[in-house]
Amino acid sequence: AQAFDHDHPLDMLSQPARIWVTSTRLDIHFDLASHPIEVRRSGLDRDPGWLPAAGRFIYYHYDA
């Protein structure tokens, strides 16, 4: 198991973001500089693509 440097593991997933929603897409934009490295290492920041339960494609974007 990988150790996370946060008081609570969900804290690292609570990041400010800009969100754009259309009938087929959900685009989430994060600030790369403040994005926790633990999220990157764990692979939780990968685009899930099409999610039938959401009825949308989901894409993450990291702005420098």
Side-chain angles (χ1 to χ4, degrees):
Q2 183 174 350
F4 294 111
D5 188 23
H6 293 273
D7 293 334
H8 191 281
L10 292 180
D11 289 346
M12 72 178 167
L13 299 176
S14 299
Q15 299 296 314
R18 289 178 324 214
I19 300 173
W20 300 96
V21 180
T22 70
S23 61
T24 59
R25 287 180 65 121
L26 173 64
D27 289 275
I28 307 165
H29 293 258
F30 296 100
D31 176 35
L32 183 59
S34 63
H35 195 64
I37 191 69
E38 296 92 349
V39 173
R40 311 270 338 248
R41 287 184 182 151
S42 68
L44 293 173
D45 60 347
R46 294 187 183 137
D47 289 334
W50 172 254
L51 284 182
R56 290 181 172 83
F57 289 94
I58 299 178
Y59 299 101
Y60 300 130
H61 307 272
Y62 300 92
D63 305 322

